[in-house]
Amino acid sequence: MDAFLNEAYQEALTGLREGGIPIGGVLVRNGQIVGRGHNRRVQNGNPILHGEIDTLSNAGRHEAAFYRECVLYTTLSPCIMCTGAILLYRIPEVVIGEDVSFKGEAEFLASRGVKVSVVNAPELIAMMKDFIVKNPALWNEDISEK
């Protein structure tokens, strides 16, 4: 797992320690992290505060051109809402830590010209599988495929 994906993993672990869903992300521009976040749906009682949305929020306001120079690293394949945000800001590249637990919208992102890399890091797969087994009701509350 590369350094930026590892930073996203650390964000996911922070979310897990807070009692939330372990999904994290970082936004990188010119080799520097400019935003980081994690899923805080549970912690904030906010149904749209997914990891990617929190990451973008924490990056702050920028001109549109800023995002076109970024790479988004996320521990889990983005849902359709987060995919929409990626496309809205024309983020050209997304690195996905794993898509085993949730397939997400990687194919749709790619079909819209986004460079998508799926790593399927064993640590991330294990973390999500463990979380889903221990918290099925919480997992099924949001982006479950059931």
Side-chain angles (χ1 to χ4, degrees):
M1 186 168 17
D2 80 6
F4 293 128
L5 191 54
N6 186 59
E7 288 296 319
Y9 179 39
Q10 297 309 311
E11 285 292 327
L13 292 173
T14 297
L16 184 61
R17 284 191 298 273
E18 294 173 353
I21 299 168
I23 302 168
V26 294
L27 187 66
V28 176
R29 181 175 180 253
N30 299 325
Q32 300 288 337
I33 295 174
V34 295
R36 58 176 62 239
H38 52 275
N39 186 303
R40 293 189 299 138
R41 264 187 342 97
V42 174
Q43 299 93 311
N44 288 30
N46 183 334
I48 63 169
L49 204 47
H50 287 196
E52 298 88 345
I53 300 299
D54 191 47
T55 299
L56 291 170
S57 294
N58 291 332
R61 288 181 58 197
H62 299 282
E63 293 184 12
F66 175 92
Y67 299 100
R68 294 182 193 129
E69 299 173 345
C70 291
V71 178
L72 178 67
Y73 290 76
T74 179
T75 58
L76 188 66
S77 189
C79 71
I80 193 67
M81 176 181 68
C82 295
T83 294
I86 292 164
L87 295 173
L88 176 68
Y89 291 101
R90 297 184 183 158
I91 296 170
E93 184 175 355
V94 176
V95 177
I96 297 169
E98 73 110 329
D99 70 354
V100 174
S101 303
F102 178 73
K103 212 52 168 162
E105 300 296 332
E107 288 182 17
F108 183 61
L109 283 168
S111 77
R112 299 294 302 264
V114 176
K115 178 182 177 189
V116 176
S117 303
V118 179
V119 176
N120 279 330
E123 306 94 322
L124 299 177
I125 295 168
M127 176 182 63
M128 287 308 301
K129 282 187 177 185
D130 184 59
F131 177 82
I132 293 166
V133 166
K134 290 179 179 174
N135 302 279
L138 186 54
W139 175 250
N140 289 322
E141 181 181 299
D142 190 25
I143 61 172
S144 171
E145 294 180 316
K146 291 183 180 185

